[in-house]
Amino acid sequence: MPDTTKNYPQAWSRYVAQTSEPGNILPVELADNFGQLARWSARFRLAKSFKALDLGDGYANADTPQLYSAITRIFFVYSTFETYCRIIGLNPSKESQLQSLQNSQSQYKVIKRIRELDPNNALPEFLFQHLTGNNLKQMMSDFQNGQTVNVSFLARCIRHVFAHGILAANSTQLSPKRFNQISQVISDFLLNCMDQDFDNRTPQTT
């Protein structure tokens, strides 16, 4: 039989069990938001389970499905991240608030890996050209100049440009393989951030 708990947040079963206990000691942001958290957990499972799009055989270029899969993965993951931030009282548009969710040491490693995969800044340059709003453009410029940004900021920008119909499979000068690797690195990091934070907020059972 299939594992019906696979790819849910690691503390999900523990959280659900505690919600039915009288006098549970769940923090208020978890105790008062079961419906929202249930929807978030389903989105989390979808984002973590996602592997690739099946676009059939209508594309002559085999890279196209891979690139759209990479974009879609980030779309799923960032939407899940955005939902979780709001549930726990963080504004996903306020970068200073999001640092508490993203371990600085782990972020450094992820940003370093992204720079290794894209040494010529092909992706951030493309995003910079198509972002709207001075704040987003300034932060992307800072990233291009070697400053550290939140990993979630990069996911936010990719999602933003894709949702507005600008980012397509052949938009950037980055190879499909490199873009897919960046997508996976960003997605794994954000999923792990949410998973660890939710686990930390959910009391351990005795």
Side-chain angles (χ1 to χ4, degrees):
M1 294 181 64
D3 183 358
T4 58
T5 64
K6 184 177 181 181
N7 289 336
Y8 275 100
Q10 60 181 325
W12 183 248
S13 295
R14 188 168 83 241
Y15 166 71
V16 172
Q18 291 186 38
T19 59
S20 61
E21 295 178 1
N24 67 66
I25 55 172
L26 287 167
V28 64
E29 68 274 13
L30 302 191
D32 293 347
N33 290 304
F34 180 81
Q36 293 183 61
L37 282 164
R39 289 187 289 275
W40 165 74
S41 70
R43 288 188 176 192
F44 183 99
R45 187 188 190 195
L46 172 63
K48 190 169 183 178
S49 300
F50 180 79
K51 301 300 180 187
L53 294 172
D54 183 355
L55 301 181
D57 55 2
Y59 288 85
N61 187 342
D63 292 335
T64 300
Q66 182 181 27
L67 285 162
Y68 275 119
S69 293
I71 296 168
T72 302
R73 180 186 300 115
I74 289 183
F75 189 93
F76 284 160
V77 169
Y78 184 74
S79 296
T80 305
F81 180 81
E82 198 174 40
T83 298
Y84 185 70
C85 287
R86 292 191 173 111
I87 291 172
I88 62 173
L90 301 179
N91 185 335
S93 298
K94 300 291 185 182
E95 293 298 317
S96 59
Q97 294 185 18
L98 304 182
Q99 292 174 357
S100 62
L101 269 182
Q102 300 172 82
N103 177 272
S104 59
Q105 186 174 2
S106 298
Q107 281 213 112
Y108 173 79
K109 293 178 181 178
V110 172
I111 295 296
K112 181 181 178 182
R113 180 58 179 153
I114 292 171
R115 295 193 192 282
E116 291 170 351
L117 291 168
D118 184 15
N120 296 321
N121 276 335
L123 179 59
E125 176 60 30
F126 174 82
L127 294 172
F128 176 83
Q129 292 174 9
H130 296 285
L131 287 170
T132 57
N134 292 333
N135 288 339
L136 291 179
K137 292 180 81 71
Q138 182 59 57
M139 284 188 286
M140 187 58 69
S141 178
D142 291 342
F143 176 72
Q144 290 176 275
N145 291 326
Q147 295 186 36
T148 298
V149 298
N150 289 330
V151 174
S152 60
F153 168 72
L154 298 177
R156 175 186 172 195
C157 291
I158 292 171
R159 198 279 300 269
H160 174 83
V161 174
F162 175 58
H164 284 78
I166 300 169
L167 180 56
N170 58 352
S171 295
T172 75
Q173 300 300 310
L174 198 62
S175 74
K177 180 179 179 181
R178 293 292 181 93
F179 187 84
N180 187 57
Q181 288 174 305
I182 289 175
S183 166
Q184 194 69 64
V185 167
I186 291 174
S187 298
D188 288 347
F189 175 80
L190 292 179
L191 287 168
N192 185 63
C193 286
M194 290 182 282
D195 204 12
Q196 290 299 318
D197 186 79
F198 185 67
D199 183 61
N200 290 340
R201 290 174 189 270
T202 305
Q204 296 289 336
T205 55
T206 56

